[in-house]
């Protein structure tokens, strides 16, 4: 006899395959016009205007343009792998501008040449985003220069999961390739007005843009999703405007990043010798390194101008409050981002010269109008982590001295506040245990540009006894998970009826169902449904063969560039609705690893070089997702900043760098948005796989931060399942992992209480989703 329950029961979408549309009048919401319009708007919000000499942009009505570069046709909506979304279409830049034919006139012959080139190259097996620039026929060059004096240069870059970017030989990611240089030189020699559009997922060389007066305007479009090409056209003609700010520092050369040498040193490990000095913390602190910057962190122009006035900063000992009036002093409406930084005192601890502490984007401000912005932050948020005992070992410390505050619109466009905080004594904000410290890091950078020797860890990694006790008590009548959901049984009673072998079953991933990337749970005897997961983080990634076409939103780097938490939350909610409609209960995103180096293949999936932006934007995604009862899965926890040999590569770093830079965003996300799941990463941290690392998953994540959710492994990692269970990694994904716990259990390497602790967290997640 089949089990019959209320037809409106929970988990209906987990139990049955047919998709019930969630849109108005039973229309599909997946890939709907409203979500596509949101993606288009977000692409503009996150685009960064680098340059706009003589206000060339937006283009005036009647302007004629010639578009150069394969990227106008081969537009990259996002990267490959789990961050790729299979959409119904992608609008390229040429198509977008053709839709603006009442404003601009495009020299079609040139664009059709590029169209033929791209189409034929793809037919011949070349990969989108990796095509070389073609040689342009002379008759097209002559025709274009006779048609107009305004040219648009398009440059694109592609990357994805499982491989890192290259910058050598014929494969350049950061620098321009020779054929790109040739094309640019031709355009600059023939056209008076030149605009550059960068369709990229991470930092690339931009000194050629800033230093050449022949280039009037430039926009970093990033990778803008389904309607990225139309969003670009919107901005070019003034139907919308770029209002983004850089979430990363753009340096002159790849070697200028302090992380490049160690990134390329070995496939087996990465030594984070730059310590906390990542991104602007390096360029704004280390002597003479400010000269290496082309465009600083937080930089971005608009089509109008703004003035920050009536800046007031006050504190009450525990919090600091900032208010500022933002006036639009130009002749077009626009948005600005107010950024607040602090400068800690120099003392015994080596510290960054300046750090972001708060930010807020304004609403759209009309010309001549003013809006007031208020921000606040906790004083203890400025604490540094002392891992060597300069003040107090293994503690977050506010070192004595003066803390100054700066308000402005980029890390280099700031006003110093009259208000500051002076501490006469060191303040211990929080004492911790020592977790995840290195065993073979030989040196670390300090604020004066010299290196300090690191004393290696000598003790073994800590383990933790399970904090949940459960005894096997078989029952005459089976308790179903529905009974727990409806309050007719406790979760403890439910788990107690399950044998040790049954507990093992739900700690291993289950097969894919329909469009999912794998499922969790799946023990129907107890009505534990198979809860479906699907990839992110640029939208809902479903199997191409299933024919469902979700919305591809701008990549997370682009959304972070908006500095707009509201639009991030809207995107999270939209993705959740598309998940629900397609019977997905767990979305494998957002991803918030740090942009440590431009060559990381998955930087497009991540937000920023700065942990505050990373954490705040990720939290907004999670809030939007979980408002619809779809579980979010922040990933990859942690220090997963390289794709080469990602299953075994060892991230070797100090405990301070780990806590202040690479864990900080996750901490913010956990404490502000309460995600229901987190995904551990493939890599090792200081020799230990993250999914086997009890200090990371139990000591820091659960005991220090108070995380109460479930931890999943990344798919097909190389860690040992029983060690993951002992560490607090609750589920090993994907399908095919069952049986790995039986032998270790028989040998006494794991206990029922350890199994039950993980199982409880899995079941609590399943009880929460719909």
């Amino acid at each position: 006899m089949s089990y019959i329950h209320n037809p409106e029961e929970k988990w209906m979408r987990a139990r049955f395959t047919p998709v019930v549309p969630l849109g108005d009048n039973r229309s599909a919401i997946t890939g709907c016009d409203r979500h596509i319009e949101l993606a288009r708007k977000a692409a503009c919000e996150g685009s960064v205007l680098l340059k706009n000499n003589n206000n060339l942009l937006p283009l005036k009505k009647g302007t004629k343009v010639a578009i150069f570069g394969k990227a106008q046709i081969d537009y990259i909506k996002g990267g490959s792998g789990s961050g790729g979304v299979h959409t119904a279409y992608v609008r390229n830049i040429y198509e977008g501008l053709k839709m603006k034919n009442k404003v601009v006139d495009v020299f079609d012959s040139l664009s059709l040449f590029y169209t033929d080139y791209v189409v034929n190259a793809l037919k011949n097996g070349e990969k989108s985003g990796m095509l070389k620039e073609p040689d342009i026929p002379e008759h097209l060059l002559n025709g274009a220069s006779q048609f107009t004096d305004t040219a648009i240069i398009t440059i694109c870059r592609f990357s994805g999961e499982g491989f890192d970017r290259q910058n050598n030989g014929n494969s350049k990611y950061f620098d321009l390739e020779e054929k790109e240089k040739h094309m640019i030189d031709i355009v600059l020699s023939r056209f008076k007005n030149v605009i550059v559009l960068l369709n990229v997922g991470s930092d690339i060389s931009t000194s050629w843009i800033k230093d050449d007066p022949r280039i009037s305007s430039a926009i970093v479009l990033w990778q803008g999703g389904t309607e990225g090409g139309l969003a670009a056209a919107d901005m070019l003609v003034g139907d919308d405007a770029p209002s983004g700010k850089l979430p990363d520092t753009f340096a002159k050369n790849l070697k200028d990043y302090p992380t490049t040498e160690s990134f390329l040193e070995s496939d087996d490990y990465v030594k984070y010798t730059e310590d906390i000095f990542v991104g602007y913390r390096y360029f704004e602190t280390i002597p003479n390194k400010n000269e290496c910057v082309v465009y600083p962190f937080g930089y971005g122009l608009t089509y109008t101008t703004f003035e920050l006035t009536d800046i007031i900063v006050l504190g009450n000992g525990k919090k600091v409050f900032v208010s500022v009036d933002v006036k639009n002093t130009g002749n077009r409406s626009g948005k600005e981002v107010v950024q607040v930084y602090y400068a800690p005192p120099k003392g015994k601890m080596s510290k960054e010269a300046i750090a972001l502490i708060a930010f807020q984007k304004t609403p759209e401000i009309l010309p001549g109008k003013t809006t007031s912005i208020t921000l606040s932050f906790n004083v203890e948020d400025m604490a540094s982590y002392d891992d060597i005992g300069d003040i107090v070992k293994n503690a977050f410390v506010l070192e004595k001295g003066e803390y100054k505050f700066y308000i402005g619109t980029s890390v280099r466009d700031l006003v110093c506040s009259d208000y500051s905080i002076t501490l006469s004594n060191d303040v211990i904000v929080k004492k911790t245990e020592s977790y995840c410290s290195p065993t073979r890091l030989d040196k670390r950078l300090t604020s004066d540009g010299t290196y300090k020797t690191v004393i290696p860890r000598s003790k073994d990694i800590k383990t933790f006894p399970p904090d949940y006790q459960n005894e096997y008590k078989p029952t005459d009548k089976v308790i179903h998970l529905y009974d727990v959901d409806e309050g007719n049984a406790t979760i403890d009673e439910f788990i107690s009826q399950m044998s040790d072998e049954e507990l093992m079953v739900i700690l291993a991933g289950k097969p894919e169902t329909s469009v999912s990337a794998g499922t969790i749970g799946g023990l129907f005897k107890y009505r534990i449904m198979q809860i479906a997961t699907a990839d992110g983080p640029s939208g809902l990634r479903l199997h191409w063969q299933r024919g469902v076409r979700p919305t591809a939103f701008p990549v997370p780097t682009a959304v972070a560039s908006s500095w707009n938490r509201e639009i991030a939350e809207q995107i999270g909610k939209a993705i959740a609705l598309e998940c629900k409609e397609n019977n997905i209960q767990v979305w494998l995103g957002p991803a918030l690893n740090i942009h440590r180096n431009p060559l990381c293949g998955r930087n497009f999936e991540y937000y920023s070089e700065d942990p505050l932006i990373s954490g705040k934007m990720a939290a907004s995604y999670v809030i939007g997702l979980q408002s619809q009862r779809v579980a979010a899965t922040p990933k990859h926890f942690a220090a997963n900043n390289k794709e080469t040999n990602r299953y075994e590569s060892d991230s070797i770093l100090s405990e301070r760098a780990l806590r202040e830079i690479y864990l900080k965003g996750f901490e913010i996300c956990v404490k502000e948005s309460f995600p229901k799941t987190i995904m551990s990463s493939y890599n090792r941290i200081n020799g230990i796989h993250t999914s086997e690392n009890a200090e990371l998953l139990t000591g820091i994540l659960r005991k220090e931060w108070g995380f109460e959710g479930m931890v999943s492994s990344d798919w097909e990692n190389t860690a040992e399942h029983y060690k993951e269970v002992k560490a607090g990694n609750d589920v090993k994904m994907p399908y095919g992992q069952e049986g790995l716990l039986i032998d270790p259990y028989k040998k006494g390497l794991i206990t029922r209480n350890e199994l039950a602790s993980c199982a409880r967290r899995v079941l609590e997640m399943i009880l929460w989703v719909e």
Side-chain angles (χ1 to χ4, degrees):
M1 180 182 295
S2 63
Y3 181 83
I4 299 175
H5 205 70
N6 186 325
E8 300 299 323
E9 67 186 22
K10 190 171 185 173
W11 302 310
M12 286 289 284
R13 287 179 175 269
R15 187 173 177 184
F16 300 109
T17 297
V19 173
V20 178
L22 294 177
D24 298 335
N25 300 318
R26 299 184 72 82
S27 62
I29 204 166
T30 302
C32 67
D33 291 345
R34 187 165 70 251
H35 288 179
I36 289 172
E37 183 59 28
L38 174 61
R40 178 180 169 187
K41 176 184 176 184
C44 294
E45 284 263 349
S47 291
V48 182
L49 181 63
L50 298 179
K51 189 175 184 180
N52 197 24
N53 293 348
N54 301 315
N55 294 320
L56 177 60
L57 294 178
L59 296 170
K60 295 178 174 59
K61 187 173 182 178
T63 300
K64 295 181 179 181
V65 297
I67 316 173
F68 289 84
K70 61 183 173 58
Q72 64 176 294
I73 306 300
D74 191 21
Y75 180 83
I76 308 303
K77 75 178 190 309
S80 64
S82 63
V85 179
H86 300 304
T87 58
Y89 69 95
V90 178
R91 183 115 43 209
N92 65 40
I93 294 169
Y94 171 58
E95 291 168 335
L97 276 170
K98 288 299 290 182
M99 295 176 68
K100 305 295 182 179
N101 55 15
K102 293 183 179 180
V103 181
V104 294
D105 189 6
V106 178
F107 183 59
D108 291 320
S109 297
L110 180 61
S111 294
L112 292 176
F113 159 75
Y114 281 107
T115 300
D116 290 342
Y117 168 74
V118 171
V119 169
N120 289 329
L122 297 179
K123 283 183 179 179
N124 291 330
E126 295 187 54
K127 293 184 178 181
S128 175
M130 297 186 175
L131 310 180
K132 302 299 182 184
E133 285 294 339
D135 295 325
I136 308 166
E138 187 65 25
H139 74 276
L140 288 177
L141 290 172
N142 291 333
S145 57
Q146 292 170 10
F147 179 78
T148 182
D149 63 358
T150 301
I152 298 172
I153 295 173
T154 64
I155 300 289
C156 70
R157 292 289 186 271
F158 176 80
S159 65
E161 180 178 2
F163 64 95
D164 287 312
R165 301 164 168 125
Q166 302 297 314
N167 196 60
N168 49 51
N170 292 324
S171 180
K172 300 281 190 181
Y173 182 89
F174 186 84
D175 294 322
L176 292 172
E177 295 186 343
E178 290 305 314
K179 280 188 167 288
E180 290 173 331
K181 293 179 182 178
H182 181 64
M183 179 264 288
I184 292 167
D185 287 342
I186 289 174
V187 174
L188 292 177
S189 69
R190 291 176 178 247
F191 294 87
K192 176 183 176 183
N193 303 310
V194 177
I195 301 160
V196 175
L197 302 179
L198 299 178
N199 171 211
V200 297
S202 185
D203 318 10
I204 70 168
S205 171
T206 51
S207 56
W208 59 277
I209 293 173
K210 183 177 182 181
D211 296 342
D212 197 324
R214 296 174 296 173
I215 297 175
S216 300
S217 303
I219 303 176
V220 182
L221 302 175
W222 302 112
Q223 294 165 341
T226 298
E227 282 287 9
L230 184 54
D234 287 337
M235 291 181 284
L236 289 171
V237 304
D239 288 344
D240 208 322
S243 60
K245 302 283 186 176
L246 293 179
D248 297 329
T249 305
F250 279 22
K252 291 179 180 179
N253 302 294
L254 183 60
K255 65 180 177 59
D256 291 330
Y257 294 89
T259 55
T260 297
E261 182 178 354
S262 61
F263 189 91
L264 300 170
E265 180 179 334
S266 172
D267 289 350
D268 297 328
Y269 61 83
V270 181
K271 292 182 178 180
Y272 291 50
T273 54
E274 75 284 351
D275 209 51
I276 65 167
F277 299 102
V278 181
Y280 72 88
R281 286 172 166 81
Y282 173 80
F283 293 108
E284 307 301 325
T285 302
I286 307 302
N288 302 319
K289 295 304 178 182
N290 59 341
E291 299 171 2
C292 300
V293 175
V294 181
Y295 292 109
F297 176 81
Y299 172 85
L301 304 174
T302 68
Y303 289 161
T304 186
T305 54
F306 294 95
E307 182 183 6
L308 274 56
T309 60
D310 295 329
I311 298 172
I312 300 174
V313 182
L314 297 171
N316 61 10
K318 292 185 177 181
K319 293 183 75 72
V320 175
F321 304 89
V322 179
S323 68
V324 56
D325 287 347
V326 183
K327 182 178 181 180
N328 185 338
T329 56
N331 56 14
R332 299 182 63 91
S333 62
K335 298 181 180 182
E336 182 58 281
V337 178
V338 176
Q339 303 169 34
V340 181
Y341 296 80
Y342 73 94
K346 292 183 178 181
K348 294 179 181 179
M349 296 185 67
S350 177
K351 294 186 283 290
E352 62 273 84
I354 196 165
L356 184 71
I357 193 68
F359 64 90
Q360 186 172 326
K361 194 165 195 174
T362 69
E364 187 161 353
I365 306 174
L366 297 174
K369 298 298 182 180
T370 299
T371 192
S372 296
I373 296 294
T374 57
L375 309 94
S376 65
F377 54 90
N378 296 319
V379 171
E380 65 183 28
D381 292 342
M382 300 185 293
S384 302
Y385 189 75
D386 184 355
D387 60 356
I388 59 176
D390 283 332
I391 309 297
V392 174
K393 190 174 182 180
N394 301 125
F396 285 96
V397 176
L398 287 168
E399 193 169 2
K400 64 182 178 182
E402 184 182 17
Y403 291 77
K404 296 180 180 180
F405 302 104
Y406 295 84
I407 298 88
T409 57
S410 84
V411 74
R412 292 193 179 175
D413 184 11
L414 299 169
V415 174
C416 185
S417 167
D418 293 335
Y419 175 84
S420 64
I421 293 176
T422 299
L423 300 177
S424 56
N425 297 296
D426 299 324
V427 176
I428 311 305
V429 172
K430 183 179 180 181
K431 188 77 172 67
T432 74
E433 297 290 330
S434 175
Y435 292 138
C436 305
S437 57
T439 58
R440 57 180 184 136
L441 182 66
D442 49 1
K443 63 180 183 178
R444 64 199 293 186
L445 185 63
T446 64
S447 58
D448 64 4
T450 63
Y451 287 87
K452 179 182 288 188
T453 301
V454 178
I455 299 174
R457 173 184 184 143
S458 57
K459 53 189 176 182
D460 293 334
I461 190 169
K462 292 183 178 67
T463 58
F464 301 86
D467 53 10
Y468 178 61
Q469 312 294 316
N470 184 274
E471 182 181 351
Y472 178 44
K473 297 178 182 178
T475 57
D476 295 331
K477 181 182 178 182
V478 173
I479 302 172
H480 294 130
L481 198 57
Y482 288 112
D483 298 320
V484 180
D485 182 58
E486 294 169 357
N488 299 320
T490 67
I491 188 72
D492 297 332
E493 292 169 335
F494 180 84
I495 294 173
S496 292
Q497 70 180 330
M498 299 177 69
S499 69
D500 299 337
E501 292 75 15
E502 288 170 331
L503 293 177
M504 296 178 199
V505 168
I506 64 170
L507 303 190
K510 300 300 181 294
E512 299 175 358
T513 57
S514 184
V515 296
S516 76
T519 56
I520 297 169
L523 194 56
F524 198 68
K525 170 184 176 181
Y526 298 108
R527 301 305 185 265
I528 302 174
M529 300 305 166
Q530 286 183 237
I531 299 303
T533 69
D535 269 320
S538 298
L540 172 62
R541 178 180 170 86
L542 302 176
H543 289 300
W544 172 261
Q545 299 92 331
R546 301 298 190 264
V548 181
R549 299 292 178 259
T551 307
F553 291 94
V555 296
T557 303
V559 180
S561 297
S562 75
W563 295 56
N564 187 337
R565 294 192 63 182
E566 181 180 343
I567 206 164
E569 184 174 335
Q570 291 171 4
I571 291 172
K573 181 177 179 180
I575 292 171
L577 290 171
E578 296 197 6
C579 285
K580 290 187 76 168
E581 186 168 78
N582 290 281
N583 299 352
I584 300 296
Q585 292 80 41
V586 179
W587 186 65
L588 304 176
L592 62 153
N593 295 103
I594 291 295
H595 290 173
R596 180 176 176 268
N597 187 271
L599 295 184
C600 176
R602 296 181 82 172
N603 273 355
F604 70 95
E605 292 189 36
Y606 310 143
Y607 296 109
S608 173
E609 68 186 29
D610 181 75
L612 180 73
I613 292 181
S614 300
K616 295 288 187 180
M617 299 304 288
S620 296
Y621 268 73
V622 173
I623 290 168
L625 276 152
Q626 295 190 168
S627 71
Q628 304 303 304
R629 305 290 284 195
V630 172
T633 311
K635 62 181 185 182
H636 309 87
F637 192 65
N640 181 185
N641 305 105
K642 185 175 181 178
E643 287 299 285
T644 303
N645 190 27
R646 59 183 178 157
Y647 295 101
E648 294 295 337
S649 181
D650 189 6
S651 296
I652 303 171
L653 72 168
S654 72
E655 186 176 355
R656 180 181 180 186
L658 181 66
R659 286 179 177 271
E660 288 190 21
I661 304 297
Y662 300 97
L663 295 184
K664 193 60 169 180
F666 285 97
E667 181 181 6
I668 292 168
C669 182
V670 165
K671 291 181 176 180
E672 292 191 2
S673 64
F674 310 103
K676 295 301 174 182
T677 70
I678 278 181
M679 183 190 293
S680 57
S681 54
Y682 288 125
N683 58 287
R684 299 171 184 264
I685 292 180
N686 292 324
I688 309 296
H689 275 116
T690 62
S691 59
E692 297 176 352
N693 196 323
E695 292 187 351
L696 179 69
L697 301 183
T698 299
I700 294 176
L701 178 62
R702 292 197 168 97
K703 291 187 176 295
E704 287 190 14
W705 299 353
F707 177 68
E708 296 180 348
M710 183 199 86
V711 176
S712 159
S713 75
D714 205 341
W715 269 227
E716 299 177 340
N717 70 9
T718 57
E720 294 187 74
H721 196 182
Y722 87 93
K723 291 181 180 179
E724 293 179 323
V725 170
K726 295 181 77 67
N729 193 104
D730 304 308
V731 176
K732 190 172 187 66
M733 296 297 289
Y735 177 61
Q737 315 296 327
E738 288 189 16
L740 298 179
L741 296 174
I742 295 174
D743 188 53
Y745 181 73
K746 289 179 179 178
K747 293 178 179 179
L749 298 176
I750 50 174
T751 66
R752 176 181 175 86
N753 285 337
E754 289 170 328
L755 296 171
S757 294
C758 292
R760 181 187 175 106
R761 292 189 287 262
V762 174
L763 294 169
E764 286 174 340
M765 183 277 290
I766 295 174
L767 284 164
W768 183 84
V769 300
E770 293 181 343

